[in-house]
C-alpha cells in the first residue's frame, strides 16, 4: 500500500514526486518510457526560470529525476493497463505489477496529434516524424519540412536548420501562433523557407519519404517539396483513453480540474499537459505538480484522521 501513486514522470509528475516525498508521503512514480516526457525530447529550452543559458530538456529532466529520488520517491517503469479510481483504495495495474494507493495523481501528459494524410502512417519512422530532436540527426545535410504554426513547430524548424541544408516550414495560416521572438528567429534564418497559407496533402515515397505535397489553403493549387523528412508539430492529444467515462474531461479530452488540481473523483488529482488549461509549458506543468501533490497530501492526512 502506497500513500500516493503518480502516473507519469514528465515535469508535472516529477515535481509532484518531489513535493510529495518532501512532505513525508510514500510515493511511487510509474513511467512507461523515460523520465521527462516531452520535455526530455526538447533540444533547447530557454524559458524555464533559473536556467540563464540555453539548456537541453534531457538535462533538466535528469536533474528533476535525481531530485525526486534524493527526496525519497521511487520511480518504476511499466505500462499502465488499467486504473480503478472510484474507491477509497486506488488500484493501478501495469504490465509488470499491481499497485494500491490512498491517492493518485494523473500526469500521463499528451501525445503528438496525427494529420491523417496519405503516406503519413505508412512512412512513420521512414521519413515521417513527430519529434525533431529525436530524429533530426538522421536528416543531417538533407532537406526537411515542418508542419505547424505554434512554438513547437517553430522550435523544430530552428533546430533542423542547424542540421539540414534546407527546411520548409508549412503553416495553414498567414499568422503564426508561436511567440514573436521565435517567429523573428525563423524569418532571419537563411535556410528556412516559409509556405503560407498551405495545407499538408500527402507524403510521397515507397519505402522512405522522398517528397511532400502541399496545397494552397485558398486556391487549392498543389506543389511538391523535395524533402527526405517531414516533421509534424500540430498539437497533442491527452492520454486519457483509460479514464474514459470516469474522470470528467472537456470536449478535447483533457481532464477538468480546479486550481488545486482536484478531479471529480475523491483522491484523484491531475497535473501537466493532461489537464484542461490555456497554457501547456514546463513551468505550468511543474506548478500543477506542486499543487496536485499538496492537495493529495491534505486529502491523505484528512482521510486518515
Amino acid at each position: 500500500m502506497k500513500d500516493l501513486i503518480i502516473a507519469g514522470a514528465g515535469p508535472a509528475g516529477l515535481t509532484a514526486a518531489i513535493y510529495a516525498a518532501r512532505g513525508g508521503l510514500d510515493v511511487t512514480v510509474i513511467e512507461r518510457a523515460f523520465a521527462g516526457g516531452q520535455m526530455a525530447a526538447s533540444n533547447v529550452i530557454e524559458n524555464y526560470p533559473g536556467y540563464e543559458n540555453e539548456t537541453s530538456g534531457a538535462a533538466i529532466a535528469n536533474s528533476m529525476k535525481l531530485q525526486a529520488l534524493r527526496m525519497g520517491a521511487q520511480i518504476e517503469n511499466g505500462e499502465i493497463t488499467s486504473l480503478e479510481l472510484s474507491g477509497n483504495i486506488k488500484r493501478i495495474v501495469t504490465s509488470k505489477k499491481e499497485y494500491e494507493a490512498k491517492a493518485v495523481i494523473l500526469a500521463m501528459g499528451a501525445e503528438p496529434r496525427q494529420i491523417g494524410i496519405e503516406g503519413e502512417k505508412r512512412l512513420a519512422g521512414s521519413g515521417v516524424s513527430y519529434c525533431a530532436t529525436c530524429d533530426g540527426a538522421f536528416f543531417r545535410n538533407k532537406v526537411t519540412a515542418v508542419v505547424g504554426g505554434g512554438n513547437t513547430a517553430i522550435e523544430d524548424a530552428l533546430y533542423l536548420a542547424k542540421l539540414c541544408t534546407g527546411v520548409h516550414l508549412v503553416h495553414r495560416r498567414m499568422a503564426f501562433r508561436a511567440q514573436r521572438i521565435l517567429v523573428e528567429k525563423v524569418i532571419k534564418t537563411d535556410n528556412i523557407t516559409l509556405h503560407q497559407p498551405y495545407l499538408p496533402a500527402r507524403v510521397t515515397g515507397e519505402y522512405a519519404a522522398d517528397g511532400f505535397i502541399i496545397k494552397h489553403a485558398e486556391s487549392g493549387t498543389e506543389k511538391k517539396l523535395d524533402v527526405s523528412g517531414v516533421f509534424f508539430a500540430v498539437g497533442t492529444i491527452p492520454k486519457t483513453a483509460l479514464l474514459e467515462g470516469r474522470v470528467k474531461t472537456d470536449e478535447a479530452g483533457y481532464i477538468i480540474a480546479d486550481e488545486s488540481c482536484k478531479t471529480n473523483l475523491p483522491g484523484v488529482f491531475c497535473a501537466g499537459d493532461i489537464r484542461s488549461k490555456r497554457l501547456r509549458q514546463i513551468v505550468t506543468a511543474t506548478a500543477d505538480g506542486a499543487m496536485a501533490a499538496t492537495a493529495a497530501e491534505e486529502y491523505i492526512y484528512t482521510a486518515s484522521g
Side-chain angles (χ1 to χ4, degrees):
M1 172 67 70
K2 298 288 183 179
D3 288 326
L4 177 66
I5 292 291
I6 300 172
L14 291 173
T15 302
I18 292 168
Y19 272 72
R22 189 170 180 268
L25 297 182
D26 180 6
V27 54
T28 294
V29 184
I30 302 173
E31 171 58 49
R32 68 179 182 88
F34 48 82
Q38 294 187 71
M39 172 180 66
S42 298
N43 180 58
V44 175
I45 293 174
E46 61 180 8
N47 61 348
Y48 189 65
Y51 289 83
E52 182 179 357
N53 300 314
E54 291 183 348
T55 308
S56 71
I60 298 177
N62 188 58
S63 181
M64 286 185 180
K65 174 184 176 180
L66 293 177
Q67 188 177 6
L69 293 172
R70 182 172 63 83
M71 289 293 178
Q74 295 178 317
I75 300 177
E76 299 186 8
N77 286 105
E79 179 84 30
I80 296 176
T81 57
S82 67
L83 295 147
E84 296 179 21
L85 305 174
S86 58
N88 292 330
I89 302 301
K90 319 301 179 185
R91 291 180 175 83
I92 301 90
V93 179
T94 75
S95 53
K96 297 181 179 180
K97 60 191 295 187
E98 182 175 330
Y99 301 82
E100 291 187 342
K102 300 173 184 176
V104 170
I105 295 176
L106 305 170
M108 296 91 80
E111 58 189 355
R113 182 183 299 277
Q114 295 186 355
I115 295 289
I117 61 173
E118 180 183 341
E120 178 188 8
K121 185 176 182 179
R122 179 171 55 83
L123 295 171
S126 298
V128 170
S129 175
Y130 302 88
C131 179
T133 54
C134 302
D135 300 328
F138 295 114
F139 301 92
R140 189 180 298 273
N141 298 322
K142 297 181 179 180
V143 180
T144 57
V146 175
V147 179
N151 287 341
T152 300
I154 300 298
E155 290 169 350
D156 284 356
L158 290 169
Y159 173 72
L160 290 169
K162 299 176 183 178
L163 303 172
C164 304
T165 56
V167 178
H168 297 279
L169 180 56
V170 179
H171 184 41
R172 60 180 178 172
R173 299 189 179 96
M174 291 304 298
F176 288 100
R177 292 179 289 105
Q179 295 174 347
R180 182 179 299 176
I181 187 172
L182 295 175
V183 176
E184 290 175 351
K185 286 183 179 181
V186 160
I187 293 173
K188 294 177 181 178
T189 303
D190 292 336
N191 62 337
I192 296 179
T193 303
L194 302 182
H195 300 272
Q196 299 167 269
Y198 273 88
L199 300 167
R202 57 191 179 277
V203 184
T204 63
E206 186 174 358
Y207 300 107
D210 61 15
F212 185 34
I213 309 299
I214 59 176
K215 180 174 64 176
H216 195 277
E218 297 172 357
S219 68
T221 303
E222 292 187 349
K223 64 179 177 180
K224 180 179 180 180
L225 306 178
D226 293 320
V227 301
S228 300
V230 181
F231 293 83
F232 293 99
V234 291
T236 58
I237 299 174
K239 296 179 181 178
T240 53
L242 292 175
L243 307 171
E244 189 174 352
R246 289 176 290 168
V247 178
K248 286 185 178 180
T249 61
D250 62 18
E251 293 181 355
Y254 293 93
I255 298 175
I256 297 173
D258 61 17
E259 286 305 305
S260 67
C261 294
K262 296 179 182 178
T263 72
N264 61 297
L265 296 178
V268 179
F269 308 84
C270 69
D273 286 359
I274 202 170
R275 185 166 84 90
S276 179
K277 55 185 178 179
R278 181 177 179 182
L279 183 64
R280 293 182 175 86
Q281 294 279 287
I282 298 172
V283 69
T284 61
T286 56
D288 279 358
M291 291 298 295
T294 301
E297 182 181 349
E298 292 176 353
Y299 169 83
I300 291 168
Y301 288 140
T302 300
S304 62

